[in-house]
Amino acid sequence: MSTLVAAGGGAFGWALLSSTAGNVGELAFDRPLRIPPLLEGGSFDLKLQAGVSVLRPGVKTGTWGVNGPHLGPTLRVRRGETVAARVLNTLPEATSVHWHGMRLPAVMDGGPHQMIAPGATWKPTWKIDQPAATLWYHPHLHGTTARHVYQGLAGLFLIDDEHTAKLPHEYGVDDIPLIIQDATFDGDGSLTLSNFGMSMLPGMDLMGFLGKDVLVNGTLGPAFTVTTTRVRLRLLNASVGRVYHIGFADDREFALVATDSGLVGEPVRLRRALLASGERAEIVVDFRPGDQVVLRSFTAELGGGTALDRFTGGADVFDLMKFTAPGPLAESVAVPARLADVPAPLVPPNTRTRTFRFSSTSINGKGMDLARIDVVVPAGAVEIWELTNPSTNHSFHIHEVSFRILDVNGRPPAAYEAGRKDTVYVPPEGHVRLLVEFGDHTDPKAPYMYHCHMLVHEDKGMMGQFVIVEPGQESHVNTRLNLKDSHGAH
């Protein structure tokens, strides 16, 4: 990156010096944290709609939401339940709803092949068969995902199982969803995806978008009143491209209890956790009467060196929200020493390895083609996927699967990313190996996606498709799809 600075001269140097953002000390924290409504039981009526929201004090903004003007309800089910959703699209354009992190048949996945036309209703149904986890749902229509998520189409999808009661789990009291999204507002209050950081440098479309403000549950600078001695925070990075380095302003420790796809085996004591776009983490925080503490995103080493990290948000510091604990506080369940059975990843003998090389618009030199199947996988397979990233920062997500990180640049994963996951941060000049576990839902004509979750990169074509088939049938799959067979709602 230093060569680029030298070659770019004054314009590049000025941009480098001007490329940081932050808000420390600027927020009043005088608005209560909005807790999304909770829907339970597996039968969900979801209406995609346009609306008007007050995301900043005194300013009205046009937004999109699910069952409301902005964001969506939290959906909660137990393992073993059957989901029956009815998704009505009242928006002026087509979209889709993808169940991010869910293990389910491809025709129910909500990717770009399950498009929901304006006025149409999509009715997916499937059985929940995976451990307790914090998942989420959002649009996944090719070419418009970034804009649709940014406008507000996102919500959490929680799965409970026999381990749920081991941790704080009273929704909205000691079990709190935190949907984190950055945003930039035009003078009239409308949301804009124009990138303030890199627009002056053609060809330097690094993260795709970095916003000037950061919202939590659709609120700028909210506050939450703590009433229990421990609080479980379900953190979701629902931003278009920004990476957050989450911790508390007083540097207090917290216990990481779950990653994307479920509980960790033992709690991990941390002061910081890195979350790239699409990643989730569950943390449990201790509070005492009288506490007042700010949740903050700190500077981060993103792997690109000082200059590149600065351009991609690594030098930015944002206050996110404030917690106050006036007391007295009700005693909350303690975090157990053992949370779940999560054995160390074991690579079976003769495991197949697949390689994926990134650019900002393609994988293995190919842009997205909805009619092309890139990978055919036998049901129940365990594979190693090697990710090589000679370009800028990426966040890689695989639909349907659960994976474990074997190593990053030859080193074991950090403690906070050693659990079950479905999304992983891949640094510049990085090499990441994943042990990927595929499910048993077979369909040679209905693909799942793998892609960068920096959503502008995804929309520009950094995405591929795979199908899962009965073992032994891999060579019989037609790798060109008839798009008329897509299972959308029209």
Side-chain angles (χ1 to χ4, degrees), residues 19-38:
S19 60
T20 58
N23 65 1
V24 174
E26 298 178 2
L27 301 177
F29 301 113
D30 56 357
R31 303 176 70 194
L33 177 71
R34 176 181 174 270
I35 303 295
L38 180 66

Side-chain angles (χ1 to χ4, degrees), residues 19 37 43 75 83 89 104 182 307 342 363 399 401 416 447 451 472-473:
S19 60
S43 181
L75 312 181
V83 173
N89 180 15
L104 78 175
D182 59 346
V342 185
I363 299 175
H399 291 207
V401 310
Y416 66 84
H451 58 89
Q473 296 300 305

Side-chain angles (χ1 to χ4, degrees), residues 367-386:
M368 178 59 177
D369 179 353
L370 285 169
R372 186 189 69 236
I373 300 299
D374 300 280
V375 175
V376 179
V377 181
V382 177
E383 298 185 347
I384 294 174
W385 282 26
E386 292 189 350

Side-chain angles (χ1 to χ4, degrees), residues 61 87 208 224 278 333 357 448:
T61 299
V87 186
F224 180 78
V333 61
R357 186 175 178 86
Y448 299 98

